[in-house]
């Protein structure tokens, strides 16, 4: 138990350390933030639109409550509305990451590989044929989108539980979302080491608390207004740190060897 708690907080620290790249490569990080800014604006407009229409959606989804007492009818519809918003945010956070990292992939890959080089012993990029890489990317995307949809359904159903549904829904969304983001954000360093999606999933499962600490931090950063813009490029660096920790590679820069001055003969 103590080891799991320690690993969880180590994952959070790796998430935070990714932001250090803003100080070391500000121009590259700023370029990497532009796609996040564009996608954030689109997603924000979608969330605002949903918030406006959610009372009507909740009423449409509960026709059986039309004849109920007003207190019970309104209570059920508020519960359904909260569940809808929680599910939408859970799906949105995951698809946001996938869309943003796809749009920002040229910058994200540069950030990830620059981080790898600075930590030493960086692997060469995997030499893949175009169609092989395309097929792998589509397969990974299908898995992640499927995870997002299943997460949304789970969050919605849990959100319908009276009294505790809201807390359960949001917590489940963070856990499932964090797991999916940890998979997504270790993609580039995993590909550079020749790891398949299944192999990455097994690595992440081998230290589940570590992966969740990092992934939940990433998930929550997407829920902070404007946080995704700053976090998106930082998470590319953080994903490298996470994968290096999982495969036993150093996550701190290796100091250059000290040279000794020759002693003068007297």
């Amino acid at each position: 138990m103590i080891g799991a708690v320690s690993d969880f907080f180590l994952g959070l620290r790796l998430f935070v350390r990714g932001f250090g790249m803003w100080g070391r490569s500000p121009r590259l990080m700023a370029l990497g933030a532009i796609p996040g800014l564009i996608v954030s604006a689109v997603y924000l407009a979608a969330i605002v639109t949903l918030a406006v229409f959610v009372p009507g959606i909740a009423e449409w989804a509960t026709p059986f409550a039309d004849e109920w007492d007003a207190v019970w009818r309104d209570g059920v519809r508020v519960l359904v509305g909260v569940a809808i918003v929680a599910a939408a945010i859970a799906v949105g956070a995951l698809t946001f990451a996938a869309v943003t990292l796809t749009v920002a992939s040229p910058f994200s890959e540069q950030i990830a590989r620059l981080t790898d080089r600075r930590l030493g012993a960086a692997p060469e990029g995997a030499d893949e044929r175009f169609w092989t890489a395309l097929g792998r990317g589509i397969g990974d995307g299908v898995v992640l989108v499927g995870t997002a949809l299943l997460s949304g359904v789970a969050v919605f159903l849990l959100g319908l539980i009276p009294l505790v549904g809201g807390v359960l829904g949001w917590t489940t969304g963070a856990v499932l979302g964090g797991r999916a983001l940890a998979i997504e954000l270790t993609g580039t360093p995993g590909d550079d080491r020749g790891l398949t999606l299944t192999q990455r999933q097994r690595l992440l499962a081998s230290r589940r608390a570590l992966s969740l600490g990092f992934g939940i931090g990433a998930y929550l950063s997407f829920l902070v207004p404007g946080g995704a813009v700053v976090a998106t490029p930082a998470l590319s660096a953080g994903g490298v740190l996470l994968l290096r920790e999982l495969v036993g590679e150093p996550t701190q820069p290796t100091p250059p060897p000290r040279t000794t001055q020759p002693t003068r003969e007297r």
Side-chain angles (χ1 to χ4, degrees):
M1 181 64 181
I2 294 176
V5 172
S6 176
D7 251 10
F8 182 85
F9 283 102
L10 174 58
L12 282 176
R13 288 199 299 274
L14 295 176
F15 157 71
V16 172
R17 280 182 55 199
F19 288 86
M21 282 293 290
W22 273 101
R24 291 188 287 271
S25 301
R27 182 174 297 180
L28 179 59
M29 297 293 279
L31 287 172
I34 292 173
L37 181 63
I38 296 170
V39 178
S40 291
V42 174
Y43 270 67
L44 180 61
I47 290 172
V48 170
T49 302
L50 176 65
V52 170
F53 287 101
V54 79
I57 296 172
E59 184 176 348
W60 169 82
T62 56
F64 54 84
D66 287 344
E67 304 301 324
W68 291 7
D69 181 76
V71 174
W72 290 104
R73 182 186 64 233
D74 294 344
V76 166
R77 286 174 175 169
V78 167
L79 193 66
V80 170
V82 170
I84 290 171
V85 172
I89 289 177
V91 172
L94 297 181
T95 57
F96 174 88
V99 171
T100 302
L101 291 173
T102 298
V103 175
S105 58
F107 306 111
S108 298
E109 290 176 4
Q110 287 187 56
I111 293 167
R113 288 172 180 144
L114 177 60
T115 304
D116 243 337
R117 287 197 299 271
R118 285 179 170 170
L119 294 172
E124 295 292 332
D127 186 15
E128 285 185 312
R129 293 182 178 180
F130 173 78
W131 293 111
T132 302
L134 179 62
R136 176 183 49 75
I138 292 173
D140 289 3
V142 168
V143 171
L144 290 167
V145 170
T147 301
L149 295 176
L150 290 174
S151 299
V153 171
V155 170
F156 174 74
L157 293 176
L158 287 171
L160 297 178
I161 300 174
L163 300 178
V164 297
V167 174
L168 280 177
W170 286 93
T171 303
T172 302
V175 170
L176 295 177
R179 179 179 177 276
L181 287 176
I183 296 171
E184 173 73 15
L185 292 164
T186 52
T188 296
D191 292 344
D192 287 347
R193 289 161 176 80
L195 299 174
T196 64
L197 174 62
T198 301
Q199 289 171 325
R200 288 207 323 272
Q201 289 174 320
R202 288 174 181 166
L203 268 176
L204 291 163
S206 69
R207 294 180 66 181
R208 200 176 302 276
L210 173 75
S211 306
L212 282 178
F214 176 86
I216 288 174
Y219 180 87
L220 294 178
S221 72
F222 287 141
L223 303 184
V224 177
V229 177
V230 179
T232 298
L235 291 175
S236 300
V240 173
L241 296 174
L242 175 61
L243 191 72
R244 290 180 74 103
E245 176 69 26
L246 288 168
V247 298
E249 297 175 1
T251 60
Q252 296 287 352
T254 304
R258 297 180 63 182
T259 57
T260 56
Q261 297 294 331
T263 57
R264 294 181 180 179
E265 295 184 3
R266 294 186 178 180

